[in-house]
Amino acid sequence: QVQLVESGGGLVQAGGSLRLSCTASGRTFTIVTTGWYRQAPGKQRELVAEINSGGLTNYADSVRGRATISRDNAKSMVFLQMNDLKPEDTAVYYCKARLQVSIEGFVEVWGQGTLVTVSS
């Protein structure tokens, strides 16, 4: 089994920055894609950014230019740098990994989330 643990959330003023971290531990599987998602109160969970094993990235329009996703494969960590934070970025941020567990088998694992609150 693989566990994901997020950290780095907190309270920040609008215009500020945060760096979220996601650490994977447990059984070693190939991590195909890792992504950051967020869920604001009363809203559906949405993709923020993702990065695949080749380093290709994808960002939501709402954060493009303000967010950078990166990964440290040696440490099994993924990061989300968020700059120029806005009150609408307030949400619980979740890390998700898509793992290859067999030749044709894939599973998705979620972290427990970390709360980011942006004050105006």
Side-chain angles (χ1 to χ4, degrees), residues 58-84:
N58 180 43
Y59 295 93
D61 289 342
S62 58
V63 303
R64 188 171 290 114
R66 300 189 295 121
T68 302
I69 187 170
S70 60
R71 56 194 286 178
D72 184 333
N73 293 329
K75 297 181 179 179
S76 298
M77 297 184 71
V78 177
F79 308 97
L80 181 69
Q81 176 70 40
M82 292 279 293
N83 301 320
D84 189 23

Side-chain angles (χ1 to χ4, degrees), residues 45-56:
R45 192 172 298 187
E46 62 177 3
L47 173 70
V48 178
E50 61 185 354
I51 184 168
N52 69 9
S53 57
L56 290 178

Side-chain angles (χ1 to χ4, degrees), residues 16-111:
S17 299
L18 275 179
R19 188 191 194 209
L20 305 181
S21 301
C22 174
T23 304
S25 62
R27 189 172 176 180
T28 302
F29 290 114
T30 299
I31 299 178
V32 178
T33 304
T34 310
W36 285 96
Y37 291 72
R38 67 185 180 187
Q39 188 166 18
K43 295 188 177 181
Q44 289 187 332
R45 192 172 298 187
E46 62 177 3
L47 173 70
V48 178
E50 61 185 354
I51 184 168
N52 69 9
S53 57
L56 290 178
T57 58
N58 180 43
Y59 295 93
D61 289 342
S62 58
V63 303
R64 188 171 290 114
R66 300 189 295 121
T68 302
I69 187 170
S70 60
R71 56 194 286 178
D72 184 333
N73 293 329
K75 297 181 179 179
S76 298
M77 297 184 71
V78 177
F79 308 97
L80 181 69
Q81 176 70 40
M82 292 279 293
N83 301 320
D84 189 23
L85 284 160
K86 307 175 185 299
E88 52 263 40
D89 293 318
T90 295
V92 178
Y93 283 70
Y94 298 89
C95 178
K96 188 192 82 171
R98 179 173 171 80
L99 311 173
Q100 184 169 14
V101 298
S102 65
I103 294 177
E104 296 182 358
F106 298 86
V107 297
E108 293 183 342
V109 179
W110 290 87

